Amino acid sequence: MEMQKLYLLVPLAPLLGAVIAGLFCRIIPRWVAHSVAIAGVAIAFVASYVIFKDVMAGNTYNGPVYQWLTSGDYRFEVGFLIDQLTVTMMLVVTFVSLMVHIYTIGYMQDDPGYNRFFSYISLFTFSMLMLVMSNNFMQLFFGWEAVGLVSYLLIGFWYTRPTAIFANLKAFLVNRVGDFGFILGIGLVLAYFGTLDYAAVFAKAPAVAAHTTIALFGEGKGVELMTAICILLFIGAMGKSAQVPLHVWLPDSMEGPTPISALIHAATMVTAGIFMVARMSPLFELSDTALSFVIVIGSITALFMGFLGIIQNDIKRVVAYSTLSQLGYMTVALGASAYSVAIFHLMTHAFFKALLFLAAGSVIIGMHHDQDIRNMGGLRKYMPITWITSLIGSLALIGTPFFAGFYSKDSIIEAVALSHIPGAGFAYFAVMAGVFVTAFYSFRMYFLVFHGEERFGKHVDHGHHAAHAKAAHPSESGDHAEHVEDEPDADHHGLAPGQKPHETPWVVTLPLILLAIPSVIIGYIAIEPMLFGDYFASAIYVNSEAHPVMEELAHHFHGALAMATHAVTTAVFWLAFLGVALSWFLYMKRPDIPAAIKARSGFLYTLLDNKYYFDKFNDVFFAGGARLLGRGLWKGGDAGLIDGIIVNGSVHLVGWFATLARLFQTGHIYHYAFTMIIGVFVLMTLWVTRA
């Protein structure tokens, strides 16, 4: 009973902080708002750690908290499933969220929406915790939709900016597409299993799947039930975890403040889809078709979103496309039935990606809101803590041996190499090529920001940048955030001539240091128990006979130290090294070469600059199609059919009959007598004919 109270404390503590900071945001001082919000998340983190220790002692839990609704034979409950997978997510979410909360004190210090922001991020944390702690599909869907709603509020936090409103609406609509598939998948589960409880569904799945086909194309022509359920559930994951083609919302979500970029893109919303598929491993293991679909979508995302990171000049967008690519890596691992490897990379990525986002925010503060990496350079001597933590995050991201990202990323590549799922060959090529691409764009950003010539304070015009900055980033925190938010069109970006960058205050740099530590060590510590021990034995199911990837991977593992020392002989290491070396040469030694390549690349650069025309296609086909359909229904349906025929048509018909009847109303008695005679004649004719 005591542990059940502790389970409740984890989501409810951040919720209480959100309620206090939100409902009383106009009357409480700022220090009260951030204190209650941080206290709530800190309590959740400490409670999560205590629960983690209890689970490690062998005490798992699966049970209801209360019954929300009964409908016929169906019961909808709120309940918790506390196992190794859950506590891993709880620790990651609460720790990263705590770091973001602390960082926000410095980043949003002059923003007029300070209290409101703390309310939102605490509510976001509550929503994510409800999602990962759920033991049934109904509560999963509640958390799923709640993080989507709060992300809408956070991306559009600066609601006076048209670009922010466009970005949050785009995120909301794209996620509705994914969620439509998700709710259909949950509906199929309820229809065929009669319950939404995970344990009951997983227990019945093999028997139900073996004899059930959904007839889509007539008798005998259909889709296996489990394939349909898994693909529909994964469509939901494609929206939340930003997989092609439902990825388009995530880069635009950079319009929100940097702290929420770190929270959404590192440890919470975008990892919800990865977590969900891992939790549903007993279902996905029953459909090779679904796994093949997952691995192909993930490999396309991993490679092609990485290409887009190469040409980005906004520091936050480089990191955003990196997130897209790494989510693709996690999805590839899921498709290869290496669910534990996907969760392992989710965990390591949460630390170093949150670090990179928060470091980018620190650079933005130091540069007085300028986010264009072409206006930076040489910042390492002005911002030493931001520099060294950014370097650590970048080294972890590209998979440098001994860093956290190395152990998880290399494990994904090896798992894909061992997989025999259809599409695994293409996936292996994609993740290998992605190693070079990731190293190239990551260190392109690193070198341009922290090394080389100092380009700040010169107000160099890079074409669209000034206009974009003016329109899209009017209140990127710092000394003038309040002034700029009040005046959204103020061009207040960048250092003045002669002005130098500065290191950010301790509330900004402390989270960077605390995130840098696990970005280095967590992979070395966790790889053996999480991947090759029994850590996930009861939480993740793999059909080792059909998909023996993890068993084969274990045969090649000889310890974390041996894995790192052996790495220098692998193609993965040298691809990453080549990416770093090439970025150094092109941007530090011969910056004229990238400009020449850009000038000669023609359509290729245009294709990348337009993000493969996904946005254009969506705007023309879906948005334009919706407008065309609406116009057709308006003019053809409403104006033409309803008003023109049904409403006005009936009026005209009555008028026509009235006009015709008026011809017989002359006032002459012989006309009426003639009409009566004709009427009698017609009636007698009908009577004789019938007789």
Side-chain angles (χ1 to χ4, degrees), residues 116-152:
R116 178 167 57 94
F117 188 80
F118 272 100
S119 175
Y120 286 174
I121 57 177
S122 291
L123 186 60
F124 194 97
T125 306
F126 158 76
S127 303
M128 189 65 189
L129 288 169
M130 287 296 286
L131 188 157
V132 301
M133 295 174 70
S134 63
N135 75 339
N136 62 82
F137 285 92
M138 189 217 57
Q139 186 178 330
L140 173 71
F141 189 71
F142 164 77
W144 196 268
E145 293 303 306
V147 292
L149 171 63
V150 185
S151 69
Y152 169 82

Side-chain angles (χ1 to χ4, degrees), residues 180 303 305 316 556 613:
F180 180 67
L303 180 59
M305 294 302 105
K316 285 172 64 176
H556 298 279
Y613 292 97

Side-chain angles (χ1 to χ4, degrees), residues 439-478:
F440 182 79
Y441 68 69
S442 298
F443 273 82
R444 169 185 176 263
M445 178 182 73
Y446 169 76
F447 288 131
L448 286 176
V449 172
F450 294 105
H451 292 270
E453 175 192 359
E454 296 179 2
R455 298 178 297 277
F456 44 81
K458 297 181 180 180
H459 293 287
V460 179
D461 185 8
H462 295 296
H464 70 280
H465 168 70
H468 178 268
K470 183 174 181 179
H473 305 285
S475 70
E476 267 293 0
S477 195

Side-chain angles (χ1 to χ4, degrees), residues 630-667:
R631 192 177 298 113
L633 291 173
W634 164 44
K635 291 189 174 181
D638 189 28
L641 178 62
I642 297 174
D643 287 345
I645 296 178
I646 298 176
V647 177
N648 294 331
S650 61
V651 171
H652 294 314
L653 183 63
V654 171
W656 181 80
F657 273 115
T659 302
L660 185 64
R662 192 166 60 243
L663 296 176
F664 297 95
Q665 304 299 316
T666 63

Side-chain angles (χ1 to χ4, degrees), residues 96 100 124 151 155 171 240-242 247 249-271 316-317 319-324 326-327 330 346 349-354 357:
V96 173
V100 170
F124 194 97
S151 69
I155 294 168
K240 278 289 180 289
S241 293
H247 67 285
W249 66 270
L250 190 141
D252 287 351
S253 69
M254 295 298 101
E255 294 297 335
T258 297
I260 198 54
S261 299
L263 193 58
I264 288 178
H265 299 162
T268 52
M269 179 171 166
V270 296
T271 62
K316 285 172 64 176
R317 285 182 179 266
V319 186
Y321 279 107
S322 166
T323 299
L324 279 169
Q326 295 307 304
L327 287 167
M330 298 175 209
L346 182 157
H349 175 264
F351 295 120
F352 63 73
K353 188 52 60 69
F357 266 117

